[in-house]
Amino acid sequence: MQSIFLDKNHEPTAADLQNGIGLTFTVWNEIETYLNEIYPKVQSKWHFTSAKMGWSFRMSDSKRVLVYLLPRDQYFKVAMVFGQKATNLVLESEVSESIKTELKAAKVYAEGRGIRIDIKNDALLEDIKKLIQIKLTA
């Protein structure tokens, strides 16, 4: 599924985002605020991938993307890539079994295993925070 923002010439605004992802806007903001608090050097920016995929929001350090936030119609996805060390830490952590199952099933690439988690409410917020902590330490 593609972004709800497909116009290359219009970078999404906060109002666009709030209208697009609806009630999950507060969860998006909580994730963004959390990462900024625990890692003040994070660089956040919108990125246009292609006409088919549209805009996504990336939160990075100087070397890698830490978290992708992918806007969808009335919800969003959190996407993360974990190397083997981080994968092991996630599997040993207390995050939900559904996330662990998805991570185990993910195809392994040179950069690691990628997962995308649908955020339709705040039920997985604490798990997302744990995943961010693992990503930063591994």
Side-chain angles (χ1 to χ4, degrees):
M1 179 175 237
Q2 63 190 15
S3 173
I4 53 174
F5 303 120
L6 299 174
D7 182 353
K8 181 178 184 175
N9 299 313
H10 178 74
E11 182 175 304
T13 64
D16 294 333
L17 183 63
Q18 187 167 13
N19 289 333
I21 66 172
L23 297 175
T24 62
F25 182 72
T26 56
V27 182
W28 176 299
N29 281 333
E30 247 186 279
I31 292 169
E32 192 176 348
T33 299
Y34 177 74
L35 187 46
N36 277 293
E37 286 173 356
I38 67 167
Y39 191 72
K41 294 187 272 185
V42 70
Q43 301 163 11
S44 302
K45 68 177 184 174
W46 284 99
H47 179 78
F48 188 83
T49 305
S50 67
K52 183 178 177 182
M53 297 306 293
W55 289 93
S56 64
F57 191 75
R58 296 178 177 189
M59 300 183 75
S60 311
D61 65 12
S62 60
K63 298 179 277 189
R64 63 193 172 152
V65 177
L66 302 168
V67 179
Y68 299 86
L69 299 178
L70 312 169
R72 301 297 187 255
D73 187 18
Q74 299 305 302
Y75 74 104
F76 66 97
K77 291 180 177 276
V78 172
M80 299 178 80
V81 177
F82 297 96
Q84 191 57 54
K85 180 180 175 187
T87 295
N88 293 341
L89 291 171
V90 171
L91 296 176
E92 294 166 4
S93 75
E94 295 180 8
V95 299
S96 71
E97 287 302 317
S98 62
I99 291 173
K100 291 178 184 180
T101 300
E102 185 172 345
L103 187 60
K104 284 187 240 181
K107 188 172 180 179
V108 180
Y109 294 95
E111 61 275 5
R113 298 170 188 251
I115 60 171
R116 292 182 178 183
I117 303 164
D118 289 354
I119 304 298
K120 296 186 176 186
N121 54 48
D122 65 356
L124 294 173
L125 182 59
E126 292 308 311
D127 283 343
I128 299 302
K129 289 178 178 181
K130 289 174 190 168
L131 294 174
I132 290 170
Q133 291 170 354
I134 290 169
K135 181 81 175 177
L136 287 171
T137 60

